[in-house]
Amino acid sequence: MAKRLIPLFNRVLVEKIVPPSRTNAGILLPEKSSKLNSGKVIAVGPGLHTKEGKLIPVAVKEGDTVLLPEYGGTEVKLENKEYHLYRDDDILGTLHD
Amino acid sequence: MAKRLIPLFNRVLVEKIVPPSRTNAGILLPEKSSKLNSGKVIAVGPGLHTKEGKLIPVAVKEGDTVLLPEYGGTEVKLENKEYHLYRDDDILGTLHD
Amino acid sequence: MAKRLIPLFNRVLVEKIVPPSRTNAGILLPEKSSKLNSGKVIAVGPGLHTKEGKLIPVAVKEGDTVLLPEYGGTEVKLENKEYHLYRDDDILGTLHD
Amino acid sequence: MAKRLIPLFNRVLVEKIVPPSRTNAGILLPEKSSKLNSGKVIAVGPGLHTKEGKLIPVAVKEGDTVLLPEYGGTEVKLENKEYHLYRDDDILGTLHD
Amino acid sequence: MAKRLIPLFNRVLVEKIVPPSRTNAGILLPEKSSKLNSGKVIAVGPGLHTKEGKLIPVAVKEGDTVLLPEYGGTEVKLENKEYHLYRDDDILGTLHD
Amino acid sequence: MAKRLIPLFNRVLVEKIVPPSRTNAGILLPEKSSKLNSGKVIAVGPGLHTKEGKLIPVAVKEGDTVLLPEYGGTEVKLENKEYHLYRDDDILGTLHD
Amino acid sequence: MAKRLIPLFNRVLVEKIVPPSRTNAGILLPEKSSKLNSGKVIAVGPGLHTKEGKLIPVAVKEGDTVLLPEYGGTEVKLENKEYHLYRDDDILGTLHD
């Protein structure tokens, strides 16, 4: 079965970041500190055509860390790994160190 | 009766891929591994006109393997074989090995 | 009373094809084989103006065999014969031998 | 009181055609044969501006016999005679002998 | 307090015409003959901008007698006199002798 | 804390005019005569961009007396004084002596 | 985990201003005087593309004090500090001393 997904239009394939529930040193973290709903961009579509026929490229790129909305997105399972597809205008922003 | 369907506008005729429920060697696969909702593109329409009258061609092409949304699509029976019609912007992406 | 109908805008006048319930040889066909909802295009409108004032001609033409959606369309009776009017973007595709 | 109505925008003033319930020779017609909902165009508006400011003239003209939708239209009484106003894109087509 | 109202955009200030319930000669008119919902245009706005920034002037002018829709319009009281505000595209047409 | 509000886009900051419930001479006015819902424009936004990127300036200006819709508007309290914010296309018209 | 958020499109990251419930001198303020729903702009997106493909920059800038709507906005927690994301057209105005 097919393995790699190239999204269509302005869709973005995201792998959600599951925050560690304990630190490397083994200390259990309280649930509150891990509330941020973020993900890694795995693949992006070519963009969306405006009504004039111009192509607006997707606003994020492969490798970006993104802040995701609490609801929405379509769950996709590829090779037993779980991903989510979002329209780029549903993604709230990019996260940087 | 007519046999071949050429979709109109940005419609895409898809034959859904039914995943094998057992391997070639006859081993029964667990249901979980076959959850991907994919299909083969059989035919595509000429595309959709924008409000300026420009034609935007369909985003997938004949032969593509596509990831389909869980709901939607119109069931069509041609020559006793079941197909589905989708608008190209309802198709989530293309699948590649 | 008037006899011929010329549709307005992107409307399409269709005569539905009623599949034969028995073959020429008289063999009764099972109901399943006749499920396709198709029709013959009798007349088409001049097309629809875009918001820029450009005319987009109707996507099907007189004589085409078309695949119709399961619901929708307006029943029209002309000279005691039953027809249906569809917007061209409600028609799913054209059927060919 | 004012007598003549000039419709605004793409509105069309229609006088519905009430089919004779008996022929000239006095034979009573069955109700089925008179089901067509048609009318005579009495007056049309100047047309509708597109979002670019272009004027699209009304698709029917005074004197046309038109096929009307089953529902919709605004009843107007002028000089004790009953008329209906339709947007031209609600009119299904023109009828010709 | 302010006395004159200049409508904004494509709004039209209308004074409804209350048909005489009796003739000049004092004959009481039956209610049916006065059913037309008409008004006098008192003032009009400058018009509406299209999405391209073009100004489309209001379709009626001061002094016009207009046919009003049965519902809609905003009641406005100026100097103890009752008026109604309509968007020009809600006005059905102009009435002429 | 900040004191002056500059509205964004096509928003208009309005101070509602509370009609005097008694005249200067001290005569109590009946409630009916004060029904007009009007206000003074305190500040306006820069205007709204059309889909083509053109800026349409706000249709009213600082100092205008405006007729307000019965419902709508956002209450804002600045320095313990009550104001209302409206989109300019919700304002019905300007009032003049 | 990522620390800085750059909003996408016309989104604005705002830190709400919590009004002091007592003055510097320690006098307890009554609740009424602190009702204004304002915030500091922390970061803004690049803007939104119109349907013609033109970029309209965000209407506020980093450092602005803004008046926020009573409802709406998406709560975001970054480094245990609470922020809110708004579309710039949901922000009512900018506040100035």
Side-chain angles (χ1 to χ4, degrees):
Chain A
M1 186 171 290
K3 281 162 187 152
R4 206 161 53 90
L5 172 70
I6 300 179
L8 281 174
F9 302 101
N10 64 337
R11 288 194 184 84
V12 178
L13 186 69
V14 171
E15 187 184 346
K16 286 206 181 176
I17 294 167
V18 185
S21 57
R22 57 183 68 220
T23 62
N24 291 339
I27 301 161
L28 206 84
L29 290 168
E31 213 188 317
K32 276 282 162 66
S33 70
S34 61
K35 229 185 144 179
L36 197 62
N37 191 14
S38 61
K40 205 97 193 162
V41 174
I42 302 301
V44 301
L48 204 62
H49 282 96
T50 69
K51 310 223 160 172
E52 271 69 32
K54 278 189 199 167
L55 187 81
I56 307 285
V58 168
V60 295
K61 61 180 192 302
E62 208 189 303
D64 278 357
T65 305
V66 289
L67 183 64
L68 301 168
E70 207 173 341
Y71 301 104
T74 305
E75 198 187 307
V76 179
K77 211 166 225 165
L78 297 166
E79 313 260 285
N80 280 322
K81 214 166 157 184
E82 195 183 289
Y83 298 91
H84 286 78
L85 274 168
Y86 292 88
R87 296 277 187 175
D88 71 347
D89 52 316
D90 289 333
I91 295 177
L92 301 173
T94 52
L95 289 158
H96 307 264
D97 285 317
Chain B
M1 185 170 292
K3 281 162 188 152
R4 206 162 52 91
L5 173 69
I6 300 179
L8 281 174
F9 303 101
N10 63 337
R11 288 193 184 84
V12 178
L13 187 69
V14 172
E15 187 184 345
K16 287 205 181 177
I17 294 168
V18 185
S21 58
R22 58 183 68 219
T23 62
N24 290 339
I27 300 161
L28 206 84
L29 290 168
E31 213 188 318
K32 275 283 162 65
S33 70
S34 61
K35 230 186 143 179
L36 196 63
N37 190 15
S38 61
K40 204 98 192 160
V41 174
I42 302 301
V44 301
L48 204 62
H49 282 96
T50 68
K51 311 223 159 172
E52 272 68 33
K54 278 189 199 166
L55 187 81
I56 307 284
V58 168
V60 295
K61 61 181 193 300
E62 209 189 302
D64 278 357
T65 305
V66 289
L67 183 64
L68 301 168
E70 207 173 341
Y71 301 105
T74 304
E75 197 186 307
V76 179
K77 210 167 226 164
L78 297 166
E79 313 260 285
N80 280 322
K81 214 165 157 184
E82 195 183 290
Y83 297 92
H84 286 79
L85 275 168
Y86 291 88
R87 296 277 186 175
D88 71 345
D89 52 316
D90 290 333
I91 295 177
L92 300 173
T94 53
L95 289 158
H96 307 264
D97 285 317
Chain C
M1 185 170 293
K3 280 163 190 149
R4 206 161 52 91
L5 172 70
I6 300 179
L8 282 174
F9 303 101
N10 64 337
R11 288 194 184 82
V12 178
L13 186 69
V14 171
E15 188 184 343
K16 286 204 180 177
I17 294 168
V18 185
S21 59
R22 58 183 68 220
T23 62
N24 290 339
I27 301 161
L28 206 84
L29 290 168
E31 212 187 319
K32 275 284 163 64
S33 70
S34 61
K35 230 187 144 178
L36 196 62
N37 190 15
S38 61
K40 204 97 191 160
V41 174
I42 302 301
V44 302
L48 204 62
H49 282 95
T50 68
K51 311 222 160 172
E52 272 68 33
K54 278 189 200 167
L55 188 80
I56 307 285
V58 167
V60 295
K61 61 181 193 299
E62 208 190 302
D64 278 357
T65 305
V66 289
L67 183 65
L68 301 167
E70 206 173 342
Y71 301 106
T74 304
E75 196 186 309
V76 179
K77 210 167 227 165
L78 297 166
E79 312 261 286
N80 280 321
K81 214 166 156 184
E82 195 183 290
Y83 298 91
H84 286 78
L85 275 168
Y86 291 88
R87 297 276 185 175
D88 71 345
D89 52 317
D90 289 333
I91 295 177
L92 300 173
T94 53
L95 288 158
H96 307 264
D97 285 318
Chain D
M1 185 172 292
K3 281 164 189 148
R4 206 161 53 89
L5 172 71
I6 300 179
L8 282 174
F9 303 101
N10 63 338
R11 287 194 184 84
V12 178
L13 186 69
V14 172
E15 188 185 343
K16 286 204 180 177
I17 294 168
V18 184
S21 58
R22 57 183 69 220
T23 62
N24 290 339
I27 301 161
L28 205 84
L29 290 167
E31 212 188 318
K32 274 284 162 64
S33 69
S34 61
K35 229 187 144 177
L36 196 62
N37 191 14
S38 61
K40 203 98 192 161
V41 174
I42 303 301
V44 302
L48 204 62
H49 283 95
T50 68
K51 310 223 160 173
E52 272 67 32
K54 278 189 200 168
L55 187 80
I56 307 285
V58 168
V60 295
K61 62 181 191 301
E62 209 190 302
D64 277 358
T65 304
V66 289
L67 183 65
L68 301 167
E70 206 173 342
Y71 301 106
T74 304
E75 195 187 309
V76 179
K77 211 168 225 163
L78 297 166
E79 313 259 286
N80 279 322
K81 213 165 157 184
E82 195 183 289
Y83 298 92
H84 286 78
L85 276 168
Y86 291 88
R87 297 276 186 175
D88 72 346
D89 52 317
D90 289 333
I91 294 177
L92 300 173
T94 53
L95 288 159
H96 307 265
D97 285 316
Chain E
M1 186 171 292
K3 281 162 188 152
R4 206 161 54 90
L5 173 70
I6 300 179
L8 282 174
F9 302 101
N10 63 338
R11 287 193 184 84
V12 178
L13 187 69
V14 171
E15 188 185 343
K16 287 204 180 177
I17 294 168
V18 184
S21 59
R22 57 184 67 220
T23 63
N24 291 338
I27 300 161
L28 205 85
L29 290 168
E31 211 188 319
K32 274 284 163 64
S33 70
S34 61
K35 230 187 143 178
L36 196 63
N37 190 14
S38 61
K40 203 99 193 158
V41 174
I42 302 302
V44 301
L48 203 62
H49 283 95
T50 68
K51 310 223 161 174
E52 271 67 33
K54 278 189 199 167
L55 187 81
I56 307 285
V58 168
V60 295
K61 61 180 191 302
E62 208 190 303
D64 278 357
T65 304
V66 288
L67 183 65
L68 301 168
E70 207 173 341
Y71 301 105
T74 304
E75 197 187 307
V76 179
K77 211 168 225 163
L78 297 166
E79 312 259 286
N80 279 321
K81 214 166 157 184
E82 195 182 289
Y83 298 91
H84 285 78
L85 276 168
Y86 291 87
R87 296 276 186 176
D88 72 346
D89 53 317
D90 289 334
I91 295 177
L92 300 173
T94 53
L95 288 158
H96 307 264
D97 285 317
Chain F
M1 186 171 290
K3 281 165 187 149
R4 207 161 53 89
L5 173 70
I6 300 179
L8 282 174
F9 302 102
N10 63 338
R11 287 194 185 83
V12 178
L13 187 69
V14 171
E15 188 185 344
K16 287 205 179 176
I17 294 168
V18 185
S21 59
R22 57 183 68 219
T23 62
N24 290 339
I27 300 160
L28 206 83
L29 291 168
E31 213 187 318
K32 274 282 160 67
S33 70
S34 61
K35 229 186 144 179
L36 196 62
N37 191 14
S38 62
K40 204 99 193 160
V41 173
I42 302 301
V44 301
L48 204 61
H49 283 95
T50 67
K51 310 222 160 174
E52 272 67 33
K54 278 189 198 166
L55 187 80
I56 307 285
V58 168
V60 295
K61 61 181 192 300
E62 208 190 303
D64 278 357
T65 305
V66 288
L67 183 66
L68 301 168
E70 206 173 341
Y71 301 105
T74 305
E75 197 187 307
V76 178
K77 211 167 225 165
L78 296 166
E79 312 259 286
N80 280 321
K81 215 167 158 182
E82 195 182 289
Y83 298 91
H84 286 78
L85 275 168
Y86 291 88
R87 296 276 185 176
D88 72 346
D89 53 316
D90 289 334
I91 295 177
L92 300 173
T94 53
L95 288 159
H96 307 265
D97 286 316
Chain G
M1 186 171 289
K3 281 165 187 150
R4 205 161 53 89
L5 172 70
I6 300 179
L8 281 175
F9 302 101
N10 63 338
R11 287 194 185 83
V12 178
L13 187 69
V14 171
E15 188 184 345
K16 287 205 180 176
I17 293 168
V18 184
S21 58
R22 55 184 69 221
T23 62
N24 290 338
I27 300 161
L28 206 83
L29 291 168
E31 213 187 318
K32 275 282 160 67
S33 69
S34 60
K35 229 186 144 180
L36 196 62
N37 191 13
S38 61
K40 204 100 194 159
V41 174
I42 301 302
V44 301
L48 204 62
H49 282 95
T50 68
K51 310 222 160 173
E52 272 68 32
K54 277 189 200 168
L55 187 80
I56 308 285
V58 168
V60 295
K61 61 180 192 301
E62 207 190 303
D64 278 357
T65 305
V66 288
L67 183 65
L68 301 168
E70 206 173 342
Y71 301 105
T74 304
E75 198 187 306
V76 179
K77 211 167 225 165
L78 297 167
E79 313 259 287
N80 280 321
K81 214 166 158 182
E82 195 183 290
Y83 298 91
H84 286 78
L85 275 167
Y86 291 87
R87 295 277 187 175
D88 72 347
D89 52 316
D90 289 333
I91 295 176
L92 300 174
T94 53
L95 289 159
H96 306 264
D97 285 317

